[in-house]
Amino acid sequence: MSADAEAIPLNSQVNDVTEGENQKTYFHPETGAKISKNEYKKLLKGVPQKKEKKEKLPPPPTTGGDEVVEKKEKKVVKDPEQIFVDDTPIGDYKHIDGVFPPTYQPKYVEAAWQSWWEKCGFYKPNVEEALKKSASDKFVMVIPPPNVTGSLHLGHALTTAIEDTITRWHRMKGKITLWVPGTDHAGIATQSVVEKRLKKLDGTTRHELGRTEFVKKVWEWKQTYGNKITSQIRFLGASVDWSREAFTMDSNLSRAVTEAFVRFYEDGLLYRDTRLINWSCALQSAISEIEVDYVDLEGRTFLAVPNHKQQEKYEFGMITSFAYKVEASPSEEIVVATTRLETMLGDTAVAVHPLDPRYTHLVGRYLLHPFVNRRVLVIADDQLVDMNFGTGAVKVTPAHDPNDYLCGKRHNLEFITVLNGDGSIASNGGEFAGMMRYDARLAMEAKLKELGLFRGKEANKMRLGLCSRSGDIIEPMLTPQWYVNCSSMAARSVQAVRDGSLKIVPEMHEATWYRWLENIRDWCISRQLWWGHRIPAYFVRLPGESEAQVDKNDPTNSARWFVGRSEQEARLKACEALGVAPELADTLSLTQDEDVLDTWFSSGLFPFSVFGWPEETDDFKAFFPTSLLETGLDILFFWVARMVMMSLHLTNRLPFTTVYLHAMVRDKNGRKMSKSLGNVIDPLEVIYGCQLQDLLLKIDEGNLPPKEVVKAKEAQKLDFPNGIPECGADALRFGLLAYTVQGRDVNLDIKRLVGYRQFCNKIWNAFRFACAYITEDSFLPSHDLLLLSSSSTSSSISSISKRDLFILSRLHTTLQEVNSAIGSYLFGAATTALHSFFLYDVCDTYLELLKPVFTAAAASDADQIARDRKSTAQLTLYTVLEQFLRLTHPLMPFVTEELWQRLPQRQLLWPEVSSIMLAPYPEPVPQWFNPLVEADFELLKEAIHGARSLRSDYRIPNHVKADFYFRSDSAVVLTCLNDDSIAQDFCTLARGNFLRFMAGDAAVPPGCCVKVLSDQLSLLVDLTGSIDIPTEINRLQKERERLTPLVDSYRRKMSAPGYEEKVPEAVRMVNKDNLVSYETELDAIKSALETFQRMLL
C-alpha cells in the first residue's frame, strides 16, 4: 500500500475507486495498486496499460510461520490435469482396479456409489427383524417432504446433510435404520407456479382450461420436477429407502387424509363456519399465516399490485380522513380516518367512546353513506375506540377488519362483504362495482373531494401483509371455511414436552412451543384451490330444492353438510339425519365441497400415513412411532406441532420422541434465500460447479416478472462473477454441517465451501501417500493396536514410538468428541474435531514424522530395530486412516467409501463387510489415551513452531539444516525434549542438523540468536555459516527504511483531527490492522538487526 493512500480497498473488483478528502483515488481492479485516472479510464475501455515496475508490497509480519524459499522458483507450465471418467454400469460395484487419480476429482469419486448402495438394498430395513426389535434398537425418521414445485435449494441440502449423517451414524452403530423419503404436493405453491407457467408459455388460465384439465397439467409438472428433486437428493448421498418413497397425493396417503378428516368431524373437533381469514385475491384463496410476509411502511410508499393495470404502482402508508353527515342534521358530521378507503363501502357503523361528550348525543342515530343507499349507525364501544386518538371516531367494517369483526359481533351489526374473490368491488359497491379495489380507492377519493366530504390525507406508519406466493396484499375476508378445534390436542402436546416425553433440541425452542400452543386458535384447513385433497364434505338438497332456495354458504343451512369417507357414506348419513328412507337415497342431490385441504393437514399425517395408517400394517407396527423429526426451526408450529397434535389424537401416540431444529440458511449477507433476490442456489450447482451464464439462464427460464429478473441477475453477477466452482457433494455436506455452529441462522458463503473441497483433496493425497507404504506384501493389517497396554509409556508392541502413541491418543480423543457431538446434534463440533485432527495431527505432524522412519527402514544397512519401527508405523498409520474413514463416513459418504474400498487387504479386518456404511462405527479406545505423551508433543509442537519462526525471521534457506539448542532449567522439559524420539522428530520438522541442550543460565554461544518460547524454555539457532550476515544487514536496513515512513504515515493520519468522525469505520479498521502489521514487522527487523550486528563484533 502506498504511503498516501487512505486504505487498501476491501474488494478491489468492486471498490476500485475511493473518495479521498479532496479527490478520488484509483486502484487497479486486479492488483489493488494505486493508478492514475487516465490509466483507470484506459482499463474501463480495454486499452492495455504501459508496463511499469510493480511496487513491491511489504511482506506479512515476520512473527513466525512460513519458512523462506531461498530463491524464486521458475514458473513451470503444468500439463492439463487428466480428467477421470467412471464407466461403471448403473448399480454395479465401482470399477476402481488400476485407476487411482493423482488428485481428488469429486465427479469421479462420487460416481457409481449411490446406485450400488441402492441396488444392494443397504438402505432398506428388514421388516421381520424390525418387528422383533425394541425402539432403542431402531432408528426411524421421515424426511420433511420438500415441495414438489421445483428444485431443492441449499436449505434442503442442509436438511439432507444433517439427516443422512444421523441415519448413517445409527446404521453403523448397529441399529435397524429407516429413513423415508417423500415430497409434498404443496397446494398453493404448486398451483401458483403452474398457473404462472401456463400464462407465460400458453397464454391461458386455469379457468379457461377447467378443473380437470388443469389438475392434469399439475400432475405433469409433478412428474417432471418431482423426479428432479429425487435426483438432487440422490446426488447429495441421502441413504433413504426409495422403495418407500411417498407423495402426499398418493392414493394411500390420500385415504389417510380422508380418514383423519372424518374422524375429526365425528369427534366434534371439525366444523364449518363463516369467519374472517387471510385472503389472497391473486390466488383467490384463503392462506395460512405462514404464507403471509409482513412489511413495515414508515410512510408514503408506492407498490405494484397483481391484477391492477390502471397504474404501475399504488400508494400505501397514508391515512385518509372523510366525513359522514348526520341523518336529518346536515350541519353535523363525524370525521373518520382509514388506511383502506375502499372498505368504507362495507361500513355499517361508526363507533365512539361512551364517555366522549362530543358524540354522546349522536349515539344511536344514523349517518348517511355517500355512495350506497345505506344508513350507518353510531354506536358506543369502549374496546374499539380511544377517544384521545384522532377524532375519537372509528369506522366499522365488520366483514373486512379483525377488530371491526369483533365489534360487529358485540353489537350485532350487519356484515357486508364488498370485495369479490379476485379483489374487485362487489355488485353492492354502487358506482364503483367491478373496479379493482385500489383503482376504486382512487376513484372514491376523487368523489369524496367532489362531494366536499374529503378532510385530508397524511403519512401513516403501518404494517402490510403480503402473500408470499403471489406478492398480493392480503385482505381480511369473511368467508365460509372448515376449522379444526385444536385446544385439547394442543394441551396434550404441551404436556408431552413438559413431562419429557417429547424432547425439543435446542431447548430454547421450548418457549416458542409453549407460547404458540397455549394460545392456539382454531385452524382454518380449507383452501379455495383446485390442486390438493378435496374436502370429503357434501352439501345435500332434498328433491325439488334448488341452489337459489337452499344456499350452501348460508350459515342457516349448515346442518345440510355431511362428511363421509365416500359420497355413498355421506348420502346414507344424510338419509338418516333428514328422515329419508335408505331406498330413496339416490333422490338426494349431493354436491361435494369444491375446496381442498390446507397442505399442512396432509403433511401433519406424514409420520404415520407413510406406514399405511389407518391400517395396522407391518410397517406401521415395526416403524411407528419414529425416533426423530429433524427440520428447520421456521416450521416448528406450522408442521411439527400439527404432527404431534394429529398423531396424539388419531393414534394416541407421539409421532417421534425427539425434535431437532436446525438453523435457517441465508446468503452471506444474511438475506433470506429468495428467487426474486437471485440468491437461491441449487445444490447441484455447488456439487458440479456452474458457469455464470448458466446461473443467469436459470433466472430467464423461471417465473419471475421482468423487473425481478433484472434484479436477480445483478445479484448473481455480483456474488458469482466467475460462476460457482465444482466442490462435490462431500464438501458441500461437510461445509453446511460446519456452519451449524453459528446458531439460529447460517449466513452461507459459497466460497467457503471451496475450502472443504481442499480438505477432501488433503484426505485423498494423504491416503495416496500412505498407500505407498502399506501396500507391501510383508505388511498385514490387524486389530492388534486395540490390545495396547494402558500404560502411559509402554505397550505390548515394543517397537511403538512416542509419535505412534501420540497419534493414537489423539485418535481416541477425536473418536470421543465426534461420537459425542453427533449424538448431541452438535454437527459443527464434529466437523471441527475431524478437520483439526486430520489436518494438524495426522498430516502436519504424524505423516511428516513417518517419512524418515520409512526412509531409514528402506536403507540397505537398516537394522532390525529400524524395520520393527517401520512395521509398527505401518500398522499405526493403517489403523488411523481406516478408523478416520469410518469416523468421517456419515458426514462425507462418497470419498470415504471410495478410499475405504481401496484400502489394501481390508478384507483381513472386515471379511464380511462389503461397504463402509455397514462397518461398525469406531468407538473410543480408552487404553490409547495418553495425556503424558500428548503433553510432550504439545511441547514439541511449540518448539517446532519456534524453530520455523526463527528460520523465517533470519531467512535461513530451506535446504540448510540448522544447529539448534534448547535452554532450560526445568527437568521435566529437558526430560521430554531429550527423548531420542522427540529429538529426532524435532529435527525432522524443524530441518535441524542436531539438537543440543543447555542450562537455563548458560551464555548464548557466539553466532546464535534466541527465541523465548516460555518462562521455562528458550530456543537457540546457530546462524554461523547459514547466511551471509552483511548481505542480510543491508537487506534489513532497506526494509526498515521502507517501512518506517509507512508507519509514520499511518500514525499521522490516524491521529489527525476529526479522523474518528470523518473516516468510515470499515476504513479505520483496515488502517488499524495495517498499522499493527507494519509495526510488528518493523520490530522484528530491528531485533534481527541487533542480533546480526552483535554477531559481527
Side-chain angles (χ1 to χ4, degrees):
M1 179 177 222
S2 59
D4 58 348
E6 282 293 332
I8 294 176
L10 297 176
N11 183 339
S12 60
Q13 290 183 330
V14 178
N15 304 317
D16 51 1
V17 182
T18 60
E19 296 286 348
E21 292 180 2
N22 300 311
Q23 61 181 4
K24 291 182 177 179
T25 304
Y26 297 86
F27 297 91
H28 194 288
E30 293 178 0
T31 66
K34 185 180 173 185
I35 58 177
S36 69
K37 183 176 181 180
N38 287 337
E39 290 168 337
Y40 180 76
K41 287 182 176 179
K42 289 178 182 180
L43 282 174
L44 294 180
K45 295 177 182 179
V47 178
Q49 289 179 266
K50 293 180 181 179
K51 291 185 178 178
E52 296 182 4
K53 291 184 179 179
K54 289 185 180 178
E55 181 184 357
K56 187 176 181 182
L57 296 175
T62 54
T63 55
D66 296 333
E67 296 181 33
V68 177
V69 179
E70 183 178 11
K71 60 181 180 180
K72 202 171 183 179
E73 295 181 4
K74 292 182 180 179
K75 268 193 172 180
V76 179
V77 180
K78 294 183 178 179
D79 294 331
E81 181 183 10
Q82 180 184 355
I83 303 300
F84 288 77
V85 178
D86 177 68
D87 60 357
T88 307
I90 294 176
D92 285 5
Y93 177 79
K94 187 171 182 179
H95 298 166
I96 58 175
D97 291 341
V99 182
F100 201 161
T103 59
Y104 172 70
Q105 297 181 12
K107 192 170 184 179
Y108 169 79
V109 170
E110 295 171 5
W113 294 118
Q114 182 67 277
S115 62
W116 178 66
W117 290 331
E118 289 182 33
K119 184 178 179 180
C120 291
F122 296 151
Y123 304 159
K124 191 172 183 178
N126 185 308
V127 179
E128 292 182 0
E129 289 297 318
L131 285 167
K132 302 173 187 176
K133 297 287 186 179
S134 65
S136 61
D137 293 324
K138 293 180 287 190
F139 176 78
V140 184
M141 179 172 57
V142 297
I143 197 171
N147 289 354
V148 75
T149 47
S151 59
L152 303 185
H153 54 66
L154 289 178
H156 296 112
L158 174 60
T159 300
T160 302
I162 291 173
E163 293 180 5
D164 191 53
T165 295
I166 297 171
T167 303
R168 289 178 183 271
W169 183 69
H170 281 290
R171 185 183 291 117
M172 295 179 75
K173 287 279 191 176
K175 293 185 180 181
I176 292 178
T177 59
L178 173 59
W179 182 20
V180 180
T183 49
D184 192 287
H185 68 279
I188 290 178
T190 303
Q191 179 161 314
S192 178
V193 167
V194 176
E195 282 195 82
K196 287 180 182 178
R197 195 166 183 83
L198 281 173
K199 190 71 175 176
K200 183 175 183 179
L201 299 180
D202 303 332
T204 188
T205 67
R206 65 180 168 107
H207 296 285
E208 292 169 341
L209 279 178
R211 184 166 190 153
T212 302
E213 287 303 312
F214 177 76
V215 170
K216 285 182 181 178
K217 290 286 186 183
V218 182
W219 275 107
E220 291 173 7
W221 174 271
K222 187 269 174 185
Q223 296 303 324
T224 301
Y225 288 92
N227 292 337
K228 181 176 183 181
I229 290 172
T230 299
S231 298
Q232 288 174 307
I233 293 173
R234 281 187 163 97
F235 285 127
L236 285 165
S239 56
V240 297
D241 182 359
W242 291 106
S243 69
R244 287 181 168 82
E245 183 181 0
F247 177 53
T248 51
M249 289 285 284
D250 287 343
S251 58
N252 56 324
L253 274 70
S254 296
R255 180 169 175 266
V257 168
T258 300
E259 181 66 26
F261 188 96
V262 173
R263 289 195 190 184
F264 280 134
Y265 185 80
E266 291 177 343
D267 292 342
L269 298 179
L270 195 149
Y271 61 94
R272 196 172 192 266
D273 194 13
T274 300
R275 297 181 179 180
L276 274 184
I277 45 82
N278 291 321
W279 185 266
S280 170
C281 298
L283 299 175
Q284 297 191 45
S285 174
I287 64 172
S288 67
E289 189 67 21
I290 195 174
E291 288 150 339
V292 179
D293 295 331
Y294 290 96
V295 293
D296 293 311
L297 306 183
E298 293 299 315
R300 191 183 191 200
T301 306
F302 287 87
L303 301 171
V305 183
N307 300 329
H308 282 63
K309 300 177 182 177
Q310 184 172 310
Q311 292 189 179
E312 184 178 347
K313 292 186 176 182
Y314 292 79
E315 182 183 65
F316 296 90
M318 302 292 288
I319 189 166
T320 303
S321 299
F322 67 93
Y324 273 123
K325 293 294 183 178
V326 179
E327 184 182 42
S329 183
S331 62
E332 288 188 280
E333 66 181 29
I334 295 181
V335 176
V336 293
T338 178
T339 58
R340 301 164 64 218
L341 183 59
E342 64 282 359
T343 63
M344 63 92 69
L345 294 170
D347 287 357
T348 56
V350 167
V352 297
H353 198 280
L355 301 180
D356 193 336
R358 292 173 294 177
Y359 304 114
T360 306
H361 68 291
L362 294 177
V363 174
R365 295 181 63 181
Y366 288 93
L367 310 174
L368 297 176
H369 200 292
F371 300 140
V372 294
N373 186 23
R374 185 191 315 133
R375 297 190 304 167
V376 178
L377 179 66
V378 180
I379 62 173
D381 192 304
D382 59 357
Q383 296 183 45
L384 184 65
V385 180
D386 176 359
M387 63 181 177
N388 297 315
F389 181 79
T391 64
V394 177
K395 63 184 285 294
V396 182
T397 318
H400 290 284
D401 182 271
N403 295 320
D404 294 1
Y405 174 84
L406 297 175
C407 178
K409 288 287 188 181
R410 288 193 296 272
H411 295 274
N412 198 28
L413 299 176
E414 185 180 3
F415 288 68
I416 300 175
T417 299
V418 295
L419 293 180
N420 295 318
D422 64 353
S424 62
I425 302 298
S427 59
N428 58 4
E431 62 186 282
F432 308 104
M435 291 184 183
M436 297 307 293
R437 62 196 189 280
Y438 298 120
D439 295 330
R441 178 184 291 185
L442 297 172
M444 289 166 66
E445 181 180 317
K447 191 67 175 178
L448 287 170
K449 290 178 180 177
E450 182 184 327
L451 296 174
L453 299 174
F454 183 77
R455 296 294 180 264
K457 185 166 63 172
E458 59 186 28
N460 181 70
K461 287 185 178 182
M462 62 183 296
R463 201 172 195 221
L464 211 56
L466 303 178
C467 173
S468 63
R469 304 299 180 185
S470 65
D472 199 6
I473 295 164
I474 295 300
E475 292 290 344
M477 290 277 274
L478 192 64
T479 60
Q481 306 286 345
W482 291 91
Y483 293 87
V484 175
N485 183 328
C486 300
S487 300
S488 61
M489 295 185 286
R492 291 184 68 182
S493 302
V494 166
Q495 184 57 34
V497 174
R498 289 199 189 280
D499 65 22
S501 304
L502 178 63
K503 183 180 179 183
I504 297 177
V505 181
E507 287 185 9
M508 63 181 178
H509 298 301
E510 288 183 3
T512 305
W513 181 267
Y514 298 141
R515 184 174 66 253
W516 276 343
L517 291 178
E518 289 175 345
N519 297 281
I520 199 166
R521 293 182 292 179
D522 290 359
W523 175 17
C524 175
I525 59 171
S526 49
R527 299 291 180 267
Q528 290 62 53
L529 303 172
W530 288 355
W531 173 246
H533 297 101
R534 196 164 174 181
I535 290 176
Y538 303 81
F539 189 79
V540 178
R541 294 184 179 90
L542 297 171
E545 292 179 341
S546 66
E547 293 184 16
Q549 292 173 317
V550 185
D551 183 5
K552 65 181 181 180
N553 292 324
D554 187 339
T556 61
N557 294 324
S558 60
R560 289 294 187 91
W561 284 98
F562 293 90
V563 171
R565 294 169 180 81
S566 65
E567 181 178 329
Q568 183 62 20
E569 182 179 316
R571 188 180 295 275
L572 293 175
K573 287 182 178 180
C575 286
E576 182 179 354
L578 300 175
V580 177
E583 59 270 19
L584 298 177
D586 290 342
T587 65
L588 299 179
S589 173
L590 268 68
T591 304
Q592 185 175 359
D593 196 322
E594 292 186 355
D595 293 350
V596 301
L597 287 165
D598 180 9
T599 299
W600 297 109
F601 190 91
S602 56
S603 57
L605 306 173
F606 201 73
F608 45 98
S609 63
V610 296
F611 298 121
W613 184 88
E615 299 297 328
E616 287 278 335
T617 64
D618 284 347
D619 267 14
F620 185 77
K621 295 174 186 175
F623 302 119
F624 185 80
T626 63
S627 312
L628 172 73
L629 189 283
E630 193 283 333
T631 190
L633 59 89
D634 58 324
I635 53 175
L636 174 61
F637 175 72
F638 298 102
W639 186 43
V640 181
R642 285 168 176 165
M643 282 188 286
V644 173
M645 289 192 297
M646 297 175 85
S647 180
L648 284 172
H649 186 81
L650 296 170
T651 73
N652 203 33
R653 285 183 282 182
L654 285 167
F656 29 75
T657 54
T658 303
V659 176
Y660 172 69
L661 302 168
H662 67 247
M664 298 300 298
V665 177
R666 300 181 181 274
D667 70 7
K668 65 180 181 181
N669 300 311
R671 300 176 304 174
K672 181 180 178 180
M673 294 287 187
S674 166
K675 292 179 181 178
S676 62
L677 292 175
N679 60 358
V680 175
I681 301 298
D682 184 333
L684 300 188
E685 293 167 350
V686 180
I687 293 174
Y688 297 117
C690 188
Q691 299 296 319
L692 176 61
Q693 56 264 34
D694 294 326
L695 292 172
L696 302 180
L697 180 63
K698 183 181 71 170
I699 295 174
D700 285 328
E701 293 174 345
N703 287 327
L704 290 179
K707 289 187 178 180
E708 296 293 340
V709 167
V710 174
K711 184 166 62 174
K713 284 186 173 181
E714 289 303 316
Q716 292 285 42
K717 290 176 183 176
L718 185 62
D719 287 341
F720 310 111
N722 301 312
I724 301 174
E726 177 189 17
C727 294
D730 284 327
L732 173 60
R733 289 168 56 121
F734 199 84
L736 289 171
L737 292 170
Y739 264 107
T740 59
V741 297
Q742 289 188 356
R744 282 184 176 269
D745 291 331
V746 172
N747 293 346
L748 179 65
D749 186 352
I750 298 294
K751 295 174 184 176
R752 181 173 165 184
L753 297 178
V754 178
Y756 291 109
R757 172 182 168 156
Q758 300 307 319
F759 179 51
C760 293
N761 190 60
K762 194 79 172 178
I763 297 172
W764 186 267
N765 289 341
F767 188 89
R768 282 181 57 86
F769 166 81
C771 280
Y773 298 102
I774 59 177
T775 53
E776 300 173 3
D777 294 338
S778 59
F779 171 70
L780 297 176
S782 71
H783 294 295
D784 288 354
L785 288 177
L786 296 175
L787 305 176
L788 275 176
S789 167
S790 58
S791 169
S792 61
T793 56
S794 63
S795 73
S796 55
I797 302 177
S798 58
S799 57
I800 199 163
S801 66
K802 273 195 173 182
R803 70 182 72 89
D804 299 324
L805 293 173
F806 161 75
I807 198 63
L808 290 175
S809 184
R810 290 294 304 125
L811 176 58
H812 159 78
T813 301
T814 306
L815 293 171
Q816 207 169 37
E817 291 174 348
V818 174
N819 270 285
S820 174
I822 297 178
S824 304
Y825 308 106
L826 301 174
F827 304 101
T831 62
T832 298
L834 290 166
H835 190 265
S836 176
F837 169 71
F838 198 80
L839 282 189
Y840 306 125
D841 295 328
V842 176
C843 294
D844 289 356
T845 304
Y846 188 64
L847 290 183
E848 292 299 320
L849 296 178
L850 287 186
K851 292 176 182 178
V853 176
F854 292 140
T855 301
S860 57
D861 58 347
D863 57 16
Q864 188 59 42
I865 294 177
R867 289 193 289 271
D868 288 345
R869 286 175 178 168
K870 174 188 173 183
S871 297
T872 304
Q874 285 177 311
L875 181 57
T876 305
L877 176 60
Y878 192 101
T879 300
V880 168
L881 291 179
E882 196 273 336
Q883 293 225 11
F884 176 79
L885 291 177
R886 284 190 283 133
L887 188 66
T888 311
H889 175 73
L891 295 84
M892 295 198 293
F894 294 108
V895 69
T896 51
E897 180 76 274
E898 175 90 17
L899 294 177
W900 194 79
Q901 295 289 348
R902 293 176 181 274
L903 275 171
Q905 306 187 77
R906 170 182 47 79
Q907 294 79 3
L908 293 176
L909 290 180
W910 309 109
E912 304 297 327
V913 181
S914 56
S915 169
I916 190 173
M917 76 165 64
L918 304 180
Y921 199 71
E923 299 289 346
V925 184
Q927 60 265 33
W928 285 352
F929 182 53
N930 200 322
L932 294 179
V933 169
E934 285 199 42
D936 288 351
F937 259 76
E938 286 305 312
L939 185 59
L940 172 63
K941 287 181 180 181
E942 185 180 357
I944 291 168
H945 178 76
R948 288 173 171 173
S949 178
L950 285 171
R951 295 184 69 103
S952 176
D953 287 351
Y954 296 101
R955 299 176 67 86
I956 302 174
N958 284 346
H959 71 278
V960 174
K961 287 190 174 183
D963 297 340
F964 288 97
Y965 301 83
F966 281 131
R967 187 171 64 175
S968 177
D969 282 331
S970 169
V972 175
V973 170
L974 291 177
T975 299
C976 165
L977 296 174
N978 207 15
D979 180 273
D980 288 343
S981 174
I982 293 289
Q984 178 186 347
D985 290 342
F986 172 84
C987 289
T988 297
L989 296 183
R991 292 189 175 90
N993 189 39
F994 62 79
L995 180 61
R996 292 176 181 159
F997 298 87
M998 305 167 55
D1001 56 356
V1004 176
C1008 286
C1009 60
V1010 183
K1011 186 171 187 67
V1012 178
L1013 302 179
S1014 69
D1015 60 348
Q1016 294 184 328
L1017 179 64
S1018 295
L1019 178 66
L1020 292 74
V1021 62
D1022 189 351
L1023 301 179
T1024 306
S1026 298
I1027 57 175
D1028 185 337
I1029 294 178
T1031 301
E1032 281 301 301
I1033 289 176
N1034 184 53
R1035 180 188 67 80
L1036 289 172
Q1037 287 174 337
K1038 289 181 179 179
E1039 283 293 293
R1040 182 179 61 186
E1041 292 170 1
R1042 184 182 67 82
L1043 286 173
T1044 300
L1046 278 175
V1047 171
D1048 292 342
S1049 174
Y1050 271 100
R1051 288 174 177 168
R1052 185 172 60 254
K1053 287 180 181 179
M1054 294 170 68
S1055 61
Y1059 174 80
E1060 293 292 330
E1061 295 78 19
K1062 295 179 181 179
V1063 180
E1065 182 182 3
V1067 175
R1068 296 202 309 270
M1069 291 298 294
V1070 172
N1071 288 342
K1072 181 180 178 181
D1073 291 344
N1074 286 339
L1075 177 58
V1076 170
S1077 173
Y1078 291 143
E1079 286 178 333
T1080 303
E1081 187 174 0
L1082 193 58
D1083 289 342
I1085 288 172
K1086 290 177 179 177
S1087 176
L1089 280 171
E1090 291 174 2
T1091 299
F1092 287 144
Q1093 286 164 353
R1094 283 198 307 269
M1095 293 174 64
L1096 291 178
L1097 297 178

